[in-house]
Amino acid sequence: MANNRVGIFGLGAMGFGMAGALHRAGLTVHGFDVNQDAVTRFQAAGGAPGDVATVAAKLDAVIVVVVNGAQTEAVLFGTGGIAAQMAKGAVVVACATMAPALARDLAQRCADLGLLYLDAPVSGGTFRAADGELSILASGSPEAFAKARPALDAMASKVFELGDAAGAGSSMKAINQMLVGVHIAAMAEAMTFGMTQGVSPAQFLDVIPQCAGTSWALESRGPHVRDGDYTPLSAVDIWPKDLGIVLEIAQSEKFGAPITAAALQQFMAASGSGLGREDDAAVAKVYARNAGLTLPDRA
């Protein structure tokens, strides 16, 4: 199999699932993370051994699944960065949410080293990551797509090819995150507003998913509030980061995004209240607290 040796940087909630999907597809996968326990756990699940210095030059693809653009840059070009150690013609697949301008800069710096670069943010959450069913919003040269294809096919059920230059993938991810963040906050607002009208979260979810007011976020996150279960699938703290990036991009274009800004404030309030590591549906707790409401407890 061509292009069958992959390094994945970031074995968190998303990255660990993606690494598993790559392994199940028959690729040789080396996993790296600052948390050595995650690396050990992945190797016990079939991940290939080896440190960065040993395997870097042998990798056909490096997939970077870290928190943001700054961490992506550090993985690639920081002290001991992987980019300088990779063989010419290998591909970097950058999956973090970041500003399009940074994606373009990283792509150029990779090109200067003879590397291909795919601007490839992901969408779908931890379960779809583990199942190899992500959507990948990608842009880059045809050569980058071709080199990354075995990894893309293993990780995703849908790869959107959005153009031949870095930046377009990050732009589309920003649009998606704008909508999802607003929708989760709107779900929390509507559900707690319903409680002031005597409509329980359970009743809300019996009716609204069958009406025009529904959304993927409502149907995905509403049950967490109904059940009082805030085990994180996607944490509150993702949203100050991602919506912050969205607003930075909007500001650079002199584009007003007041609804996004309002949603960001609610997630900031949730994070500041100590809810940052809970599921992002916990933004409903901010609304409930302010209105003197009692949300359902976990059974």
Side-chain angles (χ1 to χ4, degrees), residues 2-7 56 58-62 86 89-92 147:
N3 306 343
N4 68 346
R5 189 174 293 273
V6 176
K58 304 173 185 177
L59 298 175
D60 298 292
V62 163
M86 295 169 65
V91 64
V92 170
K147 190 73 173 180

Side-chain angles (χ1 to χ4, degrees), residues 181-219:
V182 166
H183 286 175
I184 292 172
M187 174 279 298
E189 186 168 308
M191 186 173 283
T192 49
F193 168 68
M195 293 173 68
T196 72
Q197 304 303 300
V199 176
S200 71
Q203 291 173 313
F204 178 97
L205 287 171
D206 284 342
V207 175
I208 299 301
Q210 310 302 318
C211 299
T214 195
S215 67
W216 175 88
L218 185 151
E219 294 179 28

Side-chain angles (χ1 to χ4, degrees), residues 36-183:
Q36 187 57 41
D37 289 344
V39 176
T40 301
R41 185 163 65 100
F42 177 58
Q43 290 180 356
D51 59 25
V52 173
T54 302
V55 305
K58 304 173 185 177
L59 298 175
D60 298 292
V62 163
I63 299 162
V64 188
V65 196
V66 292
V67 170
N68 54 28
Q71 288 190 5
T72 302
E73 184 174 20
V75 167
L76 294 175
F77 300 108
T79 303
I82 186 72
Q85 304 177 61
M86 295 169 65
K88 286 181 170 54
V91 64
V92 170
V93 181
C95 298
T97 302
M98 69 179 76
L102 178 57
R104 289 189 287 270
D105 177 65
L106 295 179
Q108 183 58 57
R109 292 165 68 182
C110 283
D112 291 343
L113 294 173
L115 304 175
L116 302 166
Y117 183 96
L118 206 62
D119 177 22
V122 299
S123 181
T126 55
F127 289 134
R128 286 176 62 188
D131 291 339
E133 295 291 327
L134 290 170
S135 294
I136 298 182
L137 316 175
S139 62
S141 68
E143 294 79 9
F145 274 106
K147 190 73 173 180
R149 186 63 60 188
L152 297 176
D153 288 347
M155 296 186 294
S157 59
K158 181 64 177 178
V159 178
F160 293 94
E161 300 189 18
L162 301 172
D164 60 4
S170 288
S171 293
M172 191 66 75
K173 181 62 183 293
I175 297 165
N176 183 73
Q177 296 308 87
M178 172 188 276
L179 283 166
V180 176
V182 166
H183 286 175

